[in-house]
Amino acid sequence: MSSHIRRSLALNFVDRHGLWTDAQARAAAEIEKTISQQNLELIRFSFPDQHGILRGKTLVAAEAVRALRSGVSMTSTLFAKDTSHRTVFPVFEAGAGMGVPEMGGAGNFVMVADPETFRVLPWADATGWVLCDCYFTNGKKVPIATRQLYRDALGKLATAGFDYFAGLEVEFHLFKIEDPQLAPDTLAWPAEPPRVSHTTHGFQYLTEGRYDQVASILDVLRKNVAALGLPLASLEVEFGPSQYEFTFAPETGMAPADAMVLFRSALKQVTRRHGYLASLMCRPRLPNTLASGWHLHQSLRDSKTGANLFVSQDSRETLSPLGRNFLGGLLANARAASVFSTPTLNGYKRYRGVNTMAPVQAVWAQDNRGVMVRVMGEPGDSGTHLENRCGEPLANPYLYMASQIHAGLDGVARKLAPGPSADAPYRNSAEPLPASLEEALAALRQNPCFRAGFGDGFVDYYVKIKEAEIARCRKNGPADEVNVSEWEHREYFDSL
């Protein structure tokens, strides 16, 4: 055996393949100190899958220190699963039906910690948490790993001299669990969701009295979210029964997407420990329950100066020319982008009716809550940004944000104009948003922007997963684009 091979074998997985930056290596050293100083006993290693679901393993502290650099092995079939956690690809055929040679045979891939994401979980005893990226055992990146796809999109922005700056506005429902439905006869696949009762009567939007009724559990959430270092800005009572909203200040690059998966994880776990169920399903199948959304606030910043590049210097325009072209790209690719902002069948139940504060067509206007993209700011306003109001809370944040970047850059490259402001957004004036996930997938299949941005391989892979989801739903009855089905409630109510 040559000396070169011996040296290579002696190196750990991270060093052998050069997977960390200097900053990540320094952060890893700090993790080791934290584990020792705070007497941590367990470390959770997690990665966001194709649906934005966190999957991973929990290691004891001594093993976790080694695994920071050697990685954690996981089965590759996790990338083959739909929202019910069923495998929908032929994983024992060559390339697993995905055209990726390393995926065949249900072999392993390796989770590699991103040390800069490490947290000590405030709700779990002596437990740390770290977010991971995904590599094959030969050191190649897993090409369908969504955090990497978002990093690739950020890289395209960086090449153009831009940084992505995004804030989160996330609605959800919070119910009291009455029956967790753990009797053996309820454990179908998917399982019967817990039976719940409401936490507020609703229909008193932003009233202090309604907030105070649930202040005790919201305060528990607030303290845990703050302890994670997430940029929580506000806690709000929404219009519907048991419906709430948390907003987060904008951050740059990878941070807002990571914040979304960590917030959702904290929300689900903390509330469950206190006897509540937090549901991120858009529209649960419960009487008088209203739909929830996830609004994404975004702008581009100069990567050298940090200046907001959407700010207009023209008193006649709210957006700069760059901002207008970026907006034009969002609108031009809106139907296909719906797959990433609204990836469940249930999410399309939100695009219904008029005067609902949910969009129904690909239009924009300044400070108008009925449009798809609400333009916020005034000429010269450093806070100028675009609010995309399409998203649902179950969207994978890495795909949602990457799709915005690809669509916006398409508009910039083609100098697309956004058209006139739609000051009456519920009058037919533009292309409607998809009425169903099927319509959105049809648009995505034919969309050159996202095929160029994500790659044909990923688009075809993601379409197949979503088609499997639709096929299972259709086995339970014909499509209903208005009413929420029992199938949807089982599939999404307690998802994530």
Side-chain angles (χ1 to χ4, degrees), residues 235-440:
L235 302 76
E236 303 174 16
V237 174
E238 267 293 337
F239 187 66
S242 303
Q243 189 177 40
Y244 308 94
E245 175 181 283
F246 277 29
T247 70
F248 295 84
E251 297 181 281
T252 301
M254 188 67 70
D258 287 349
M260 183 62 172
V261 293
L262 185 52
F263 166 64
R264 293 193 306 202
S265 182
L267 174 68
K268 296 286 291 185
Q269 294 177 33
V270 170
T271 56
R272 197 61 171 252
R273 284 171 176 250
H274 287 78
Y276 293 86
L277 185 149
S279 179
L280 293 146
M281 180 180 182
C282 179
R283 186 179 157 200
R285 191 175 186 261
L286 296 171
N288 304 310
T289 303
L290 303 185
S292 293
W294 166 20
H295 302 163
L296 182 61
H297 298 255
Q298 56 191 323
S299 62
L300 298 184
R301 301 295 169 112
D302 187 295
S303 57
K304 292 181 179 179
T305 68
N308 183 349
L309 298 176
F310 283 1
V311 176
S312 174
Q313 304 304 324
D314 184 342
S315 61
R316 299 166 298 177
E317 297 286 354
T318 306
L319 290 170
S320 68
L322 175 71
R324 289 181 61 80
N325 290 155
F326 194 94
L327 171 58
L330 296 184
L331 299 177
N333 294 287
R335 286 179 60 81
S338 296
V339 176
F340 305 115
S341 65
T342 312
T344 73
L345 286 89
N346 179 260
Y348 293 83
K349 305 287 167 68
R350 183 166 161 260
Y351 304 156
R352 289 287 175 272
V354 299
N355 304 321
T356 60
M357 293 195 183
V360 296
Q361 52 189 340
V363 293
W364 74 277
Q366 186 172 1
D367 197 11
N368 188 316
R369 285 182 168 85
V371 296
M372 178 189 132
V373 182
R374 180 186 178 205
V375 177
M376 301 297 292
E378 300 286 345
D381 181 354
S382 63
T384 298
H385 67 274
L386 306 177
E387 177 192 352
N388 190 326
R389 298 176 60 80
C390 271
E392 66 167 314
L394 283 177
N396 181 327
Y398 304 100
L399 295 180
Y400 188 2
M401 294 184 195
S403 72
Q404 300 298 281
I405 291 171
H406 291 314
L409 286 181
D410 179 53
V412 172
R414 295 197 284 150
K415 298 188 182 304
L416 297 178
S421 171
D423 298 315
Y426 294 105
R427 294 179 185 170
N428 293 332
S429 61
E431 191 170 31
L433 293 174
S436 65
L437 182 58
E438 293 99 321
E439 281 191 28

Side-chain angles (χ1 to χ4, degrees), residues 68-98:
L68 282 172
R69 292 172 176 80
S70 63
V72 178
S73 293
M74 299 283 282
T75 174
S76 61
T77 58
L78 295 174
F79 289 104
K81 297 188 181 298
D82 67 5
T83 49
S84 72
H85 305 265
R86 285 177 168 85
T87 298
V88 298
F89 286 89
V91 296
F92 291 103
E93 294 184 6
M98 305 177 195

Side-chain angles (χ1 to χ4, degrees), residues 35-36 39-43 45 59-67 126:
I35 291 173
S36 175
N39 296 315
L40 299 184
E41 299 174 6
L42 300 169
I43 308 297
F45 288 73
L59 276 60
V60 298
E63 182 65 17
V65 170
R66 183 197 64 80

